[in-house]
Amino acid sequence: MPLGLRPLLILILCLAWLLPGLVGHDPWKPDEAYTFGVVYEILQGGSWIIPQIAGEAFVDKPPLFHLTAAFSAMFFSPFLPLHDGARLAAGLWISLTLLFTALAARELHGPRHGLMGALLLLGCLGLVVRSHQLITDLAALAGFAMAYYGVALALRKSGPGGFWIGSACGIVFMTQGIPEAAMVAAIALLLPLAGKHWRTPRYAAALIVAAVAVLPWLVIWPALFYQRDPALFDAWLTAENLARFFGTRNPAAGIAYYLRILPWYAFPVWPLALWALWRARRQQVLSSPPVILPALGLGVTLLMLGFAAESRELYALPMLLPLTLMAVPGVDALRRGAANGWYWFSMMAFTFFILIGWFYWGALELGVPAKLHGHLHTIRPGYDFGFRWLPFVLGLAYSAGWFALLVRLKRGPERPLIVWVGGLTAVWALMATLFIGWVDTQKSYRSMIADINRAMPAQYSCMASRDVGEAQRAMLHYFAGIRTLRVESRPKAFACDLLLVQGRPLDELMMTADWKKIWEGHRPGDKDERFRLYQRSSR
């Protein structure tokens, strides 16, 4: 085995890429905050059948990811804050994603290519930040990776292949909902139409096994949910599933959005995928499983995302998997000039960013140069700067590891890929260790909620809220133990003697004479949100 693809080196790279950013900061708006709000409600003894935020039902997503995050938070609670312990569940799901991507690549392309598939996925720019966040999409991504492995394995073994297909569909359903699970089912069912290799009795048997394996996932939680609250179940089925993917939106606009972001989001796998596709055409193997499976997966995912009512780069995560699987043979087939260009670009670019990172750290924490120090603290006011040993040592270790990799790595077809992943890992680690506190100052609601607490009267009946988002309500519950009653849905809220209103800086709500504003504020450096707290005058 080439030196570059030794399993120990790849394992070290995976861990070095995965660990930074999973701990050390509060839940960030918007996705982390409301996701942790559901997790925190479970930890407080709330229902796991009907997800809740601050005492109110919030069935945006089924509860599988929330349950794993709650278990992780409890397990690590003696050592870590609850939100950091919960975020470690994201690391578990991403580890499973890498594992099943490697297994799928090995199944499609043969030994040695599994490690290359995992490395290619690690190198995708769009995955770096999202894979370290507390979001349900990471569990769904693991489900998609499991599905690709299952349909590839089903060509040889119908039983295990069908089990993984069904389990993957169930996991995606229990973390995202019906439309995303339908993507997995569509890929599995359309493969016999797309490629002759799946038109066999063995694959038909695998689909039967998959149908049996997915049944418990599709039945148990929905049945418990419907039994608990039929009206809420119907609302979830309509608003969070059917309406989310089958609205009035023009699908062409959604498809165009994802095609616009893929050049950076899926870099560098998409150029390698195109190169591998070009070589497959010249070798007349376009109908082979390594081409048909990822091509169909990419097409189905892109088409169904185009029909969604909302487009976000977060939703593009599943498209990274088929592109990665398609790109695997492109690494070995790179011409020497392209491989050398990729290697030297990675080496120079990431070395430059590492040096720039240390320069900015010196300005941020040590005050040198003073002008840059002032600018950094102007855009993130409230940050308590100063030298800290732990981030410094960790950043130094990653920087030293980067230069050691450049010195020790031997020439080979996989060298440009490993250098790219190593450089991306080092730069991400510097951001997640040296600058995580600085970013957290603005992204967290902790300081703002502390200000609200200080402004509140010692005695009050309850706090109502108006136009306050789920993320903000979740953080109020976590940081201050306050469960607001939304005036939009709770009639009892009108009897409260405190009212929290979320709006924009210049759009203040006109209140009646019996309400007095006792506090106004926002997160440090936030120019869009403004929160105002009102107290009802004594009756």
Side-chain angles (χ1 to χ4, degrees):
M1 178 176 291
L3 175 64
L5 286 182
R6 285 184 177 172
L8 180 59
L9 174 61
I10 304 307
L11 178 61
I12 292 173
L13 265 179
C14 289
L15 290 175
W17 178 91
L18 182 62
L19 293 177
L22 287 179
V23 297
H25 65 86
D26 290 332
W28 288 348
K29 178 202 172 184
D31 301 298
E32 278 203 323
Y34 73 75
T35 303
F36 181 73
V38 176
V39 174
Y40 187 63
E41 193 70 39
I42 294 174
L43 293 172
Q44 295 295 104
S47 171
W48 65 268
I49 298 174
I50 301 179
Q52 297 177 327
I53 288 181
E56 291 190 20
F58 182 73
V59 287
D60 178 65
K61 298 288 190 299
L64 177 60
F65 179 83
H66 305 113
L67 288 171
T68 59
F71 177 80
S72 177
M74 287 190 295
F75 183 81
F76 291 102
S77 59
F79 320 103
L80 294 171
L82 288 177
H83 56 270
D84 279 345
R87 199 181 292 111
L88 290 178
L92 169 65
W93 287 109
I94 283 296
S95 299
L96 291 175
T97 301
L98 294 173
L99 172 63
F100 281 100
T101 301
L103 291 173
R106 180 184 176 88
E107 197 66 34
L108 290 172
H109 302 286
R112 176 176 173 270
H113 290 93
L115 294 177
M116 197 170 289
L119 279 178
L120 281 168
L121 186 60
L122 283 183
C124 292
L125 295 178
L127 185 67
V128 179
V129 176
R130 289 300 190 180
S131 62
H132 295 83
Q133 293 182 336
L134 185 70
I135 49 178
T136 61
D137 304 77
L138 300 184
L141 189 63
F144 276 101
M146 188 182 296
Y148 283 108
Y149 172 60
V151 293
L153 181 63
L155 294 177
R156 294 192 302 112
K157 299 179 179 180
S158 58
F163 171 78
W164 290 119
I165 295 171
S167 299
C169 190
I171 288 173
V172 173
F173 168 73
M174 282 297 295
T175 52
Q176 293 289 86
I178 296 174
E180 289 81 2
M183 291 185 196
V184 175
I187 294 170
L189 293 174
L190 290 175
L191 274 172
L193 300 177
K196 63 181 181 180
H197 298 85
W198 285 275
R199 296 187 208 126
T200 63
R202 178 181 287 119
Y203 187 67
L207 291 181
I208 294 174
V209 174
V212 175
V214 75
L215 201 59
W217 299 92
L218 300 182
V219 170
I220 295 176
W221 175 74
L224 292 173
F225 187 3
Y226 183 80
Q227 184 182 29
R228 184 72 61 88
D229 194 330
L232 189 59
F233 176 83
D234 291 339
W236 167 77
L237 190 64
T238 303
E240 300 300 336
N241 289 281
L242 303 180
R244 187 158 55 90
F245 264 71
F246 301 102
T248 58
R249 176 182 174 149
N250 178 14
I255 293 174
Y257 169 82
Y258 291 108
L259 292 178
R260 283 197 304 271
I261 70 168
L262 276 181
W264 72 265
Y265 198 78
F267 189 84
V269 297
W270 70 265
L272 292 169
L274 289 178
W275 174 240
L277 200 61
W278 172 260
R279 283 179 53 82
R281 187 190 70 84
R282 293 186 62 184
Q283 296 169 0
Q284 298 182 345
V285 291
L286 284 177
S287 60
S288 63
V291 176
I292 291 295
L293 173 56
L296 176 68
L298 180 63
V300 169
T301 306
L302 179 61
L303 183 63
M304 294 192 70
L305 288 178
F307 276 92
E310 181 185 13
S311 296
R312 294 181 63 191
E313 53 81 19
L314 173 62
Y315 303 154
L317 284 175
M319 287 195 286
L320 297 179
L321 298 173
L323 284 170
T324 295
L325 295 176
M326 191 181 294
V328 167
V331 176
D332 285 342
L334 272 182
R335 292 175 178 172
R336 180 175 297 180
N340 287 337
W342 188 13
Y343 168 75
W344 285 103
F345 170 78
S346 301
M347 184 181 67
M348 292 187 294
F350 288 121
T351 299
F352 171 77
F353 285 124
I354 288 170
L355 296 176
I356 287 295
W358 281 108
F359 176 76
Y360 270 75
W361 173 82
L364 178 69
E365 305 290 13
L366 307 180
V368 180
K371 188 173 182 179
L372 180 58
H373 173 83
H375 173 69
L376 292 174
H377 287 275
T378 298
I379 60 178
R380 293 285 193 278
Y383 175 66
D384 183 20
F385 70 93
F387 181 84
R388 295 170 177 83
W389 273 107
L390 183 58
F392 173 76
V393 171
L394 290 175
L396 204 60
Y398 272 94
S399 301
W402 163 245
F403 290 108
L405 180 68
L406 294 180
V407 172
R408 296 288 302 276
L409 194 62
K410 298 287 197 282
R411 183 186 297 271
E414 71 285 339
R415 184 176 68 162
L417 173 60
I418 293 178
V419 170
W420 171 270
V421 174
L424 189 64
T425 299
V427 171
W428 163 250
L430 287 186
M431 293 173 57
T433 54
L434 300 182
F435 299 97
I436 194 73
W438 180 69
V439 176
D440 194 41
T441 300
Q442 184 186 32
K443 292 283 189 178
S444 172
Y445 283 97
R446 184 185 294 269
S447 62
M448 187 197 81
I449 292 174
D451 288 343
I452 294 177
N453 251 337
R454 286 190 286 268
M456 288 169 53
Q459 300 292 331
Y460 65 96
S461 61
C462 59
M463 179 186 291
S465 64
R466 178 166 180 172
D467 299 327
V468 177
E470 304 294 351
Q472 293 80 5
R473 293 179 60 247
M475 292 299 95
L476 274 168
H477 185 206
Y478 179 49
F479 289 132
I482 299 172
R483 289 179 170 177
T484 66
L485 304 180
R486 295 190 301 127
V487 298
E488 295 89 348
S489 61
R490 301 285 288 272
K492 292 182 179 180
F494 293 99
C496 293
D497 46 12
L498 291 179
L499 172 65
L500 181 66
V501 179
Q502 180 178 343
R504 300 184 64 83
L506 300 180
D507 298 333
E508 185 167 359
L509 190 68
M510 296 297 295
M511 304 294 293
T512 56
D514 58 335
W515 288 100
K516 175 185 176 183
K517 183 168 67 175
I518 60 174
W519 176 87
E520 180 174 342
H522 55 88
R523 290 178 301 164
D526 192 322
K527 298 180 181 180
D528 297 322
E529 293 179 346
R530 189 60 53 92
F531 295 85
R532 299 173 176 93
L533 182 63
Y534 299 90
Q535 182 178 13
R536 193 192 301 272
S537 302
S538 300
R539 298 177 182 176

